[in-house]
């Protein structure tokens, strides 16, 4: 009789534990089921914010971040936003920073030649959280989740379509039908759409439908790049070795190239007692690789369009040329080009990369040694083509 109360308490604890475990298991299972819209909507709405609570690198492009946020806050929900620019300049980090305080952000990777139906199905799966659901039910599930998301959070969800670059050597390509997908998602499902457009990933007319807001992102200014905390040690070492200027001229405002250089320097410096020597030994082949790629791209462009040869000498004395000159020379630019790109500031055609700018400025046939390159750049009077943003 004395043990009866203790046994009763044990049974109560056991039953409570079993009930709580069953409830937790049911909740975990139900969050993956598309027919349970409210629970999935809560997960969708809170996951991105919870993910962004942990420290993440933020973009230093305050003006572009503010502009993108203003686009997302626009009452014109039929519009979508295209964030475009050269590869490696921080577009993805910009998008993540601009949406870090948003509810219900899903990210979908879009490979080259992906069909409209495939992109939509991947998006519906990301929204509903149902990886293996029947194809016919996915749009219904996604629509239900989005309805509950808007009801709970009083704001539409955001879909980020992250495109992957196509092969730039192919003249005629099959690009993903991003503009059609964006219109379906905005008009039929009421979500905000951001296209994180990697270079060479969209058809030329994809950003000319009059339904999109285009945020053109240029390479970073030198001051902005030097403010990136992860690059502080490398930049300090480059200045100490008198290599900062030559590296900037060949890489420009492309953070990803600086991070690649940092990685190679760390690998080389691990077993070298002289950091300055190891740094120059890493910088020289790294810059030579960039310049050699630019030289090869210039040669490939001449093979594709021989009259481009008449255009290149103009860059010996100037940093940009008028697009109308292509018409005069009857030169047809390929769909994608690693040699020249359009720029709004300054207006005209400019070298596609900083390395290409050096190659065209000095009509290089092969990459020079780093010390020779430093002398060449010190005597050059032509300003760099990298935009200050």
């Amino acid at each position: 009789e004395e043990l009866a109360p203790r046994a009763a308490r044990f049974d109560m604890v056991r039953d409570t534990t079993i009930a709580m475990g069953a409830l937790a298991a049911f909740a975990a299972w139900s969050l993956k089921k598309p027919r349970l819209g409210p629970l999935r909507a809560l997960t969708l709405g809170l996951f991105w914010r919870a993910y962004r609570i942990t420290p993440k690198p933020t973009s230093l492009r305050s003006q572009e971040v503010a502009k993108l946020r203003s686009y997302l806050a626009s009452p014109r929900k039929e519009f979508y936003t295209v964030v475009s620019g050269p590869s490696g300049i921080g577009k993805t980090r910009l998008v993540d920073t601009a949406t870090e305080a948003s509810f219900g952000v899903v990210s979908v990777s879009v490979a080259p030649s992906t069909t409209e139906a495939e992109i939509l199905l991947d998006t519906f799966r990301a929204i509903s959280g149902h990886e293996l659901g029947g194809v016919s039910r996915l749009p219904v599930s996604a629509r239900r989740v989005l309805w509950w998301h808007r009801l709970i959070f009083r704001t539409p969800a955001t879909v980020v379509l992250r495109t992957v670059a196509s092969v730039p050597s192919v003249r005629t390509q099959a690009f993903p039908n991003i503009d059609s997908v964006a219109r379906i998602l905005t008009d039929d499902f009421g979500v905000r759409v951001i296209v994180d457009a990697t270079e060479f990933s969209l058809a030329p007319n994809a950003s000319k439908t009059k339904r999109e807001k285009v945020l053109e992102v240029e390479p970073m200014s030198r001051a902005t790049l030097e403010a990136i905390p992860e690059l502080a040690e490398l930049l300090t070492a480059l200045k100490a070795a008198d290599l900062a200027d030559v590296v900037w001229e060949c890489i420009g405002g492309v953070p990803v190239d600086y991070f690649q250089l940092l990685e190679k320097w760390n690998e080389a410096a691990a077993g070298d007692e002289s950091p300055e020597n190891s740094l120059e030994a890493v910088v020289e082949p790294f810059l030579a690789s960039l310049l050699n790629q630019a030289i090869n791209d210039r040669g490939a462009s001449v093979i594709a369009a021989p009259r481009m040869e008449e255009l290149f000498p103009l860059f010996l004395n100037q940093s940009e040329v008028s697009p109308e000159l292509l018409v005069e020379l009857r030169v047809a630019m390929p769909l994608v080009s690693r040699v020249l790109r359009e720029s709004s500031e300054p207006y005209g055609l400019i070298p596609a990369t900083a390395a290409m700018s050096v190659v065209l400025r000095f009509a290089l046939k092969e990459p020079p040694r780093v010390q020779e390159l430093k002398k060449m750049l010190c005597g050059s009077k032509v300003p760099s083509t990298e935009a200050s943003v």
Side-chain angles (χ1 to χ4, degrees):
E1 293 180 359
E2 295 179 357
L3 296 177
R6 184 178 301 176
R9 286 196 299 271
F10 174 81
D11 291 342
M12 184 179 66
V13 172
R14 181 195 61 190
D15 293 344
T16 302
T17 303
I18 292 174
M20 293 298 293
L23 180 60
F26 173 76
W29 171 82
S30 64
L31 288 176
K32 300 293 288 183
K33 294 299 178 181
R35 64 176 176 271
L36 298 176
L39 290 174
R40 176 57 194 168
L42 280 170
T43 305
L44 175 67
L46 297 176
F47 174 79
W48 183 255
R49 288 178 68 103
Y51 169 76
R52 297 299 298 179
I53 287 175
T54 56
K56 298 289 188 304
T58 57
S59 175
L60 299 178
R61 298 175 177 271
S62 56
Q63 293 183 355
E64 289 92 336
V65 168
K67 185 176 293 187
L68 180 53
R69 285 174 175 168
S70 71
Y71 288 170
L72 295 176
S74 171
R76 300 290 300 276
K77 301 305 181 186
E78 71 273 19
F79 285 94
Y80 58 94
T81 302
V82 178
V83 181
S84 66
S87 299
I89 60 174
K91 298 187 298 296
T92 297
R93 184 175 292 191
L94 187 158
V95 171
D96 289 349
T97 302
T99 59
E100 63 183 358
S102 301
F103 291 106
V105 180
V106 295
S107 179
V108 179
S109 179
V110 181
S113 303
T114 307
T115 65
E116 175 184 309
E118 290 171 336
I119 301 172
L120 287 172
L121 287 177
D122 287 344
T123 303
F124 296 151
R125 289 191 183 99
I127 292 171
S128 65
H130 195 52
E131 298 293 337
L132 303 177
V135 171
S136 61
R137 289 196 56 81
L138 282 174
V140 178
S141 302
R143 196 183 299 276
R144 180 182 295 112
V145 171
L146 292 171
W147 185 88
W148 279 104
H149 180 279
R150 183 183 289 272
L151 179 66
I152 295 170
F153 296 102
R154 313 303 299 173
T155 185
T158 301
V159 174
V160 181
L161 301 175
R162 303 190 191 276
T163 61
V164 180
S166 301
V167 180
S169 60
V170 180
R171 188 177 181 86
T172 303
Q173 306 178 49
F175 295 96
N177 198 4
I178 289 290
D179 52 329
S180 178
V181 171
R183 287 198 299 270
I184 291 173
L185 292 175
T186 55
D187 293 348
D188 298 345
F189 290 84
V191 300
R192 297 176 298 197
V193 175
I194 302 174
V195 181
D196 180 2
T198 303
E199 194 174 25
F200 309 132
S201 65
L202 297 181
N205 62 346
S207 58
K208 299 178 182 179
T209 66
K210 297 184 179 180
R211 288 287 302 276
E212 74 287 331
K213 297 176 180 178
V214 181
L215 179 58
E216 293 285 354
V217 184
E218 293 289 341
M220 286 184 174
S221 67
R222 189 166 182 176
T224 303
L225 186 136
E226 290 179 346
I228 299 177
E230 299 95 325
L231 294 176
E233 183 180 2
L234 172 65
L235 296 173
T236 300
L238 287 172
K239 290 178 181 179
D242 194 25
L243 294 171
D245 291 339
V246 68
V247 169
W248 168 258
E249 290 290 340
C250 293
I251 295 180
V254 183
V256 70
D257 285 340
Y258 274 89
F259 280 110
Q260 291 177 0
L261 178 59
L262 173 61
E263 182 178 357
K264 292 183 179 296
W265 178 48
N266 287 335
E267 293 174 356
D272 197 319
E273 297 181 357
S274 178
E276 290 189 5
N277 291 338
S278 69
L279 181 56
E280 183 167 341
V282 169
V283 166
E284 185 161 271
F286 187 83
L287 298 186
S289 175
L290 294 178
L291 294 173
N292 194 58
Q293 181 63 55
I295 292 170
N296 291 338
D297 290 338
R298 180 188 60 186
S301 72
V302 173
I303 294 175
R307 299 208 67 176
M308 289 285 286
E309 192 87 56
E310 301 176 35
L311 194 65
F312 295 151
L314 299 176
F315 289 96
L316 295 172
N317 300 306
Q318 59 193 65
S319 60
E320 74 280 340
V321 298
S322 170
E324 285 75 18
L325 190 57
L326 291 178
V327 179
E328 296 178 14
L329 295 177
R330 297 181 180 179
V331 175
M333 287 282 289
L335 291 179
V336 292
S337 173
R338 288 194 181 276
V339 180
L340 302 176
R341 66 181 181 90
E342 293 184 3
S343 172
S344 55
E345 293 183 11
Y347 171 74
L349 293 172
I350 65 174
T353 64
M356 183 61 70
S357 176
V358 173
V359 167
L360 296 181
R361 193 191 317 176
F362 299 105
L364 295 181
K365 303 297 183 182
E366 60 182 20
R369 300 294 297 269
V370 68
Q371 294 300 329
E372 180 184 352
L373 188 57
K374 285 170 61 176
K375 294 178 182 177
M376 294 167 57
L377 293 170
C378 286
S380 173
K381 302 299 184 182
V382 180
S384 171
T385 60
E386 292 299 326
S388 297
V389 179

